[in-house]
Amino acid sequence: DTGVSQDPRHKITKRGQNVTFRCDPISEHNRLYWYRQTLGQGPEFLTYFQNEAQLEKSRLLSDRFSAERPKGSFSTLEIQRTEQGDSAMYLCASSYRATNEKLFFGSGTQLSVL
Amino acid sequence: GESVGLHLPTLSVQEGDNSIINCAYSNSASDYFIWYKQESGKGPQFIIDIRSNMDKRQGQRVTVLLNKTVKHLSLQIAATQPGDSAVYFCAEFNTDKLIFGTGTRLQVFP
């Protein structure tokens, strides 16, 4: 399968714990995006990378959130000291070129914070 | 600020009929738009895109229309099938990222 892969698919954690999600983009895609989606809403932009450089972070991304893409391939999104309000679907997407190109999404990681 | 919105939260159509899903956008400088389909528990799936130098684009059973004068997009699905049941989002490419609206749920009944 050559699509965007996300792991895990589901994560249940207790409030205050740290969680980390992984995204493997389509190979040769140099842009990688993270979005968050809550029930009944459209995906909200969190951050994106051009190769290994993180070029933009949304105001939604508090200090508890950090994303990396160390070698310009896979990316990780870490949430520290999780809160119940962090419960959402976290989506990763990638695109081939710099801008104005279609994004291909993974199946997401569903996070539940108890 | 910029926003992408949809006129109807839910659309119910009979199998075999054509469906039309509408979307309004507010940023007149946007020049690239995408329609996505999202099924329950899955990520958004690309359907069709259109650039601002076009007013119509056709795919397999789908057509996207763009009216830049009134900043309006529509997605037309021909001969709607039960497998088309999903939430549909239009998204606007703005400053290197896609901005999504809240979506329209399409329900197909026999």
Side-chain angles (χ1 to χ4, degrees), chain A residues 1-97:
Chain A
D1 181 53
T2 57
V4 177
S5 178
Q6 292 190 246
D7 184 70
R9 289 295 312 278
H10 305 275
K11 179 69 177 179
I12 299 174
T13 191
K14 293 182 178 179
R15 190 175 52 186
Q17 298 294 306
N18 300 342
V19 295
T20 300
F21 311 139
R22 176 179 170 126
C23 172
D24 287 90
I26 295 171
S27 60
E28 298 177 356
H29 277 195
N30 53 30
R31 282 230 168 165
L32 187 149
Y33 296 78
W34 286 99
Y35 281 79
R36 180 173 69 188
Q37 186 178 27
T38 54
L39 195 63
Q41 301 296 316
E44 297 174 295
F45 169 79
L46 292 179
T47 188
Y48 82 93
F49 295 83
Q50 171 84 18
N51 299 314
E52 66 276 6
Q54 188 173 17
L55 297 186
E56 185 175 346
K57 296 197 303 183
S58 164
R59 288 172 293 178
L60 295 174
L61 217 64
S62 75
D63 291 344
R64 297 184 297 106
F65 288 69
S66 62
E68 294 183 342
R69 193 183 184 199
K71 298 182 180 179
S73 57
F74 74 91
S75 176
T76 58
L77 177 68
E78 180 183 17
I79 309 174
Q80 296 182 324
R81 305 181 302 282
T82 52
E83 301 173 355
Q84 288 185 326
D86 297 330
S87 295
M89 172 81 84
Y90 290 84
L91 292 162
C92 176
S94 68
S95 67
Y96 178 59
R97 288 191 286 187

Side-chain angles (χ1 to χ4, degrees), chain B residues 8-65:
Chain B
L8 295 174
T10 304
L11 178 65
S12 296
V13 299
Q14 190 165 24
E15 181 178 355
D17 285 352
N18 297 335
S19 302
I20 300 176
I21 301 172
N22 295 303
C23 174
Y25 65 95
S26 59
N27 189 343
S28 57
S30 295
D31 60 1
Y32 182 52
F33 305 87
I34 304 178
W35 280 99
Y36 284 92
K37 171 187 180 183
Q38 189 174 27
E39 297 172 293
S40 181
K42 297 183 179 180
Q45 176 188 355
F46 173 88
I47 301 174
I48 192 167
D49 58 357
I50 189 167
R51 299 190 185 275
S52 59
N53 60 353
M54 304 173 70
D55 53 18
K56 180 179 180 179
R57 191 157 189 231
Q58 289 185 293
Q60 190 175 17
R61 284 201 306 119
V62 294
T63 301
V64 55
L65 299 178

Side-chain angles (χ1 to χ4, degrees), chain B residues 47-94:
Chain B
I47 301 174
I48 192 167
D49 58 357
I50 189 167
R51 299 190 185 275
S52 59
N53 60 353
M54 304 173 70
D55 53 18
K56 180 179 180 179
R57 191 157 189 231
Q58 289 185 293
Q60 190 175 17
R61 284 201 306 119
V62 294
T63 301
V64 55
L65 299 178
L66 174 63
N67 186 330
K68 295 181 288 294
T69 302
V70 295
K71 292 184 286 187
H72 183 268
L73 274 167
S74 67
L75 177 70
Q76 301 178 0
I77 304 174
T80 312
Q81 302 169 359
D84 294 327
S85 295
V87 177
Y88 289 79
F89 294 96
C90 69
E92 168 186 17
F93 216 105
N94 186 346

